[in-house]
């Protein structure tokens, strides 16, 4: 109610240390909308490279199972992507990129809501939202077709339900946590990392008599039901192959035919100095601000009352997620930092609340707000300046793959992708130079980009696009053989590839490779006969 008092910029109402009670739902909705506007404006406009290109190809072509294994199929993301193709605007690849933007924006809104519910301080929730929205890995994965932001949204939803459970002790809320985690696993197996903590919590609650044992059974059943997008895919694969061991291996670690996939990386226990430095730099580049030290302060902040249970679960999840990612030895490690960004943003919000202190115990200091806001916006300056500086000075050049039409420094170090038509330019150039009945051979980084562009053109040329030996434009075609390739060349068909060591190793002994720029061209040696005129 109005008090008749006049509020001035110097009154307590404007102090950062004042707790402003705001509905976590309303605050989350505002930040979801604001972040969606940012991500929609900065998202990629079309076909993408690498894993994003594979996701786009599979969704557009209707291929549920990933050729690199069941664990990389992400069925929940696939089916949502199929639904997103019906959006009434944009091209098919652009609609799939927008799906990631929506998931990323929802994550930011949910994290803002959780921080608001924990701290009851609007400033803490808003700064946590900004820190997550501008985090490099998170923003970048929200700008392209990827599975990580959907997994992050489900993780944040798990937190919302978990916080509600520890405060109300309503068993159905814990069941809902397990149900959402089942969807999390159906999108990405990173969900198994947090499942461990929920199972531990449920067992502890039952052991202490705080939860009836029947609710544990209900939670397990709920989890099994919501994981069906993945479990049905596993069952279908087993029925098709009849190989139980190979199917389970592919479901857990990827790979086909019992190859083991990423099992060695998943169980890797070695943390070299080089890997530690790479992971630390990746995390630092996502938060080139005061977010990390403030988040550490939030992590160490004790909790009171029932919220202590929530804090213990979140600490366990933080240790598991960070530990898993830091020793995970894959090339594209930065993509796995999305859940790390989410936990850092949460603890950062708690740390901001701790930094600002309780009302009445600390005088309002305008410089605190200035420093926090400036720190929150600092990533924008870093992401704009660093790629240009690194390119000029040649930093990290030896680690970059030189791909035509793509600016490697901007691609990896700038999270925004608007105006990036490099994938389309590459694909159009391939299809144009190969021409009708031409052949293009490349690896997963590029081949799926070209194939997706082929599938989305109204009247594409009759070009065959291969990922190594697998034909992407005609999946029913048998794997490409050396004799078949010789026949193509004898008939005068153009065979192009991108500069790639595998091409030299595999096809070099049997063919002449014209290493022109930007595409290599395969030809027959003089002894093999000239093309038919």
């Amino acid at each position: 109610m109005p008090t008749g008092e006049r509020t001035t910029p110097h009154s307590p109402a404007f102090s950062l240390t004042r707790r402003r009670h705001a509905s976590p739902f309303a605050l989350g909705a505002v930040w979801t909308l604001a972040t969606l506007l940012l991500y929609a404006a900065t998202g990629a406009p079309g076909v993408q490279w690498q894993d994003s290109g594979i996701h786009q190809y599979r969704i557009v072509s209707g291929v549920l199972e990933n050729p690199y294994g069941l664990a990389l199929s992400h069925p929940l993301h696939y089916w949502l992507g199929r639904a997103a193709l019906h959006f009434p605007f944009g091209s098919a690849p652009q609609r799939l990129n927008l799906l990631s933007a929506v998931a990323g924006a929802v994550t930011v809104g949910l994290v803002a809501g959780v921080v608001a519910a924990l701290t009851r301080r609007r400033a803490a929730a808003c700064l946590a939202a900004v820190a997550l929205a501008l985090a490099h890995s998170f923003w970048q994965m929200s700008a392209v077709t990827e599975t990580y932001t959907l997994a992050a949204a489900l993780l944040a939803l798990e937190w919302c339900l978990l916080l509600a459970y520890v405060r109300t002790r309503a068993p159905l809320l814990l069941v809902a946590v397990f149900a959402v985690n089942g969807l999390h696993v159906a999108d990405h197996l990173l969900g198994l990392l947090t499942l461990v903590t929920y199972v531990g919590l449920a067992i502890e609650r039952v052991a202490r008599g705080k939860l009836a044992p029947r609710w544990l059974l209900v939670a397990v059943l709920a989890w099994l039901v919501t994981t069906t997008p993945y479990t049905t895919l596993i069952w279908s694969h087993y029925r098709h192959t009849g190989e139980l061991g190979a199917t389970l291996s592919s479901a857990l670690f990827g790979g086909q035919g019992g190859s083991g996939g990423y099992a060695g990386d998943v169980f890797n226990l070695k943390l070299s100095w080089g890997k530690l430095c790479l992971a630390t730099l990746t995390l630092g580049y996502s938060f080139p601000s005061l977010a990390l030290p403030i988040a550490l302060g939030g992590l160490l902040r004790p909790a009171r009352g029932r919220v202590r249970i929530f804090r213990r679960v979140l600490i366990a999840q933080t240790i598991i997620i960070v530990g898993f990612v830091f020793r995970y030895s894959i090339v594209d490690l930065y993509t796995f930092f999305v859940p790390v960004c989410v936990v850092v943003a949460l603890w950062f919000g708690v740390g901001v609340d701790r930094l600002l202190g309780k009302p009445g115990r600390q005088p309002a200091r305008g410089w605190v707000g200035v420093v926090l806001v400036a720190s929150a916006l600092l990533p924008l300056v870093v992401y704009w300046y660093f790629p240009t500086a690194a390119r000029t000075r040649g930093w990290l050049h030896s680690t970059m793959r030189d791909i035509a039409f793509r600016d490697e420094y901007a691609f990896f170090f700038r999270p925004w992708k608007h105006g990036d038509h490099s994938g389309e330019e590459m694909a159009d150039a391939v299809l144009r130079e190969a021409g009708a009945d031409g052949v293009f051979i490349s690896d997963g980084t590029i081949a799926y980009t070209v194939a997706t562009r082929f599938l989305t053109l109204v009247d594409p040329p009759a070009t065959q696009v291969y990922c190594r030996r697998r034909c992407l434009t005609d999946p029913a075609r048998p794997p490409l053989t050396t004799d078949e390739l010789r026949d193509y060349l004898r008939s005068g068909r153009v065979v192009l590839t991108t500069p790639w060591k595998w091409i030299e190793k595999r096809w070099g002994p049997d063919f002449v490779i014209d290493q022109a720029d930007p595409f290599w061209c395969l030809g027959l040696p003089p002894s093999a006969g000239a093309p038919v005129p």
Side-chain angles (χ1 to χ4, degrees):
M1 296 179 60
T3 62
E5 297 180 358
R6 183 182 179 185
T7 303
T8 69
H10 301 287
S11 67
F14 285 87
S15 171
L16 275 174
T17 60
R18 179 182 177 87
R19 293 190 186 275
R20 296 188 178 187
H21 296 271
S23 165
F25 178 82
L27 196 63
V30 169
W31 276 106
T32 296
L33 179 59
T35 309
L36 180 58
L37 293 175
L38 171 67
Y39 289 167
T42 60
V47 295
Q48 287 299 297
W49 308 86
Q50 301 176 190
D51 289 351
S52 297
I54 298 176
H55 296 319
Q56 289 180 338
Y57 168 81
R58 290 175 45 243
I59 294 171
V60 170
S61 62
V63 178
L64 173 58
E65 187 173 329
N66 192 305
Y68 297 105
L70 294 173
L72 286 74
S73 297
H74 313 294
L76 181 62
H77 179 265
Y78 170 85
W79 290 115
L80 290 176
R82 293 290 291 178
L85 293 179
H86 297 286
F87 287 170
F89 49 82
S91 63
Q94 191 173 25
R95 296 168 190 170
L96 297 177
N97 296 334
L98 184 60
L99 175 62
S100 295
V102 171
V106 169
T107 307
V108 173
L110 290 172
V111 169
V114 171
V115 174
L118 282 172
T119 66
R120 299 182 180 180
R121 194 191 296 270
R122 190 184 305 169
C126 291
L127 286 170
V130 173
L132 179 57
L134 300 185
H136 176 267
S137 291
F138 190 86
W139 187 354
Q140 187 179 56
M141 294 298 101
S142 298
V144 298
T145 302
E146 262 299 351
T147 62
Y148 298 102
T149 54
L150 176 58
L154 294 168
L155 171 62
L157 183 56
E158 292 169 14
W159 293 348
C160 293
L161 295 168
L162 177 64
L163 182 58
Y165 167 71
V166 300
R167 283 180 167 169
T168 65
R169 304 292 175 90
L172 278 176
L173 288 171
L174 184 60
V175 172
V177 171
F178 276 84
V180 173
N181 181 263
L183 294 174
H184 191 169
V185 172
D187 173 64
H188 202 293
L189 291 184
L190 283 172
L192 294 174
L193 300 181
T194 55
L195 174 63
V196 174
T197 64
Y198 303 138
V199 171
L201 173 64
I203 293 175
E204 183 267 345
R205 295 285 89 186
V206 171
R208 296 185 60 185
K210 304 293 184 180
L211 182 71
R214 67 176 181 274
W215 287 109
L216 182 58
L217 177 60
V218 174
V220 171
L221 291 175
W223 187 86
L224 291 174
V225 168
T226 54
T227 55
T228 51
Y230 193 40
T231 53
T232 53
L233 175 62
I234 297 171
W235 173 249
S236 175
H237 181 87
Y238 168 65
R239 289 189 61 186
H240 177 70
T241 63
E243 299 177 359
L244 180 60
T247 298
L248 293 178
S249 176
S250 180
L252 292 173
F253 311 114
Q256 293 285 16
S259 64
Y262 292 91
D265 300 308
V266 170
F267 292 115
N268 172 51
L269 298 178
K270 297 179 181 179
L271 182 61
S272 66
W273 177 250
K275 291 179 182 177
L276 179 61
C277 289
L278 175 62
T280 302
L281 290 173
T282 302
L283 179 59
Y285 194 72
S286 285
F287 295 99
S289 61
L290 296 175
L292 290 175
I294 294 176
L296 181 60
L299 178 68
L300 299 176
R301 181 182 187 177
R304 297 178 179 177
R306 294 182 175 182
V307 178
R308 286 181 297 179
I309 299 174
F310 180 83
R311 176 179 178 271
R312 291 167 184 166
V313 173
L314 265 292
I315 288 177
Q317 290 186 3
T318 301
I319 294 172
I320 293 172
I321 292 172
V322 173
F324 178 85
V325 172
F326 263 63
R327 41 100 260 157
Y328 198 40
S329 56
I330 62 170
V331 176
D332 297 334
L333 182 63
Y334 64 95
T335 62
F336 276 79
F337 269 82
V338 169
V340 177
C341 291
V342 179
V343 296
V344 168
L346 176 73
W347 292 119
F348 171 67
V350 176
V352 167
D353 182 57
R354 183 182 189 183
L355 179 66
L356 296 178
K358 293 184 177 180
R361 292 192 178 183
Q362 176 178 319
R365 297 175 180 175
W367 62 267
V368 175
V370 173
V371 170
L372 288 174
V373 172
S375 172
L377 298 178
L378 184 60
L380 294 174
V381 179
V382 174
Y383 303 152
W384 177 261
Y385 173 75
F386 180 79
T388 302
R391 185 190 306 109
T392 302
R393 294 165 175 79
W395 296 339
L396 304 172
H397 180 73
S398 61
T399 64
M400 300 284 187
R401 176 178 174 180
D402 188 15
I403 296 179
F405 302 93
R406 192 173 84 174
D407 182 340
E408 296 297 288
Y409 288 95
F411 178 79
F412 285 107
F413 295 111
R414 283 200 179 123
W416 51 83
K417 301 298 178 184
H418 61 286
D420 179 14
H421 297 277
S422 58
E424 295 176 0
E425 292 170 355
M426 158 69 84
D428 289 344
V430 167
L431 298 175
R432 183 174 57 252
E433 293 198 23
D437 297 325
V439 176
F440 177 69
I441 306 170
S442 191
D443 63 342
T445 298
I446 299 171
Y448 288 92
T449 304
V450 179
T452 303
R453 180 62 171 170
F454 173 92
L455 293 174
T456 54
L457 289 175
V458 176
D459 186 22
T463 306
Q464 294 178 15
V465 179
Y466 286 86
C467 179
R468 297 180 183 264
R469 294 178 178 271
R470 183 187 303 115
C471 186
L472 302 180
T473 48
D474 185 7
R477 182 182 291 272
L480 182 65
T481 65
T482 302
D483 290 337
E484 187 178 10
L485 191 54
R486 286 197 185 100
D487 292 339
Y488 288 159
L489 292 170
R490 289 193 183 102
S491 65
R493 298 172 69 174
V494 176
V495 179
L496 298 179
T497 183
T498 48
W500 184 26
K501 292 181 179 179
W502 184 85
I503 290 293
E504 292 183 286
K505 180 180 179 180
R506 179 63 189 86
W507 303 108
D510 300 303
F511 300 94
V512 174
I513 303 177
D514 179 10
Q515 299 185 2
D517 189 34
F519 307 117
W520 290 357
C521 185
L522 269 63
L524 291 170
S527 59
V532 176

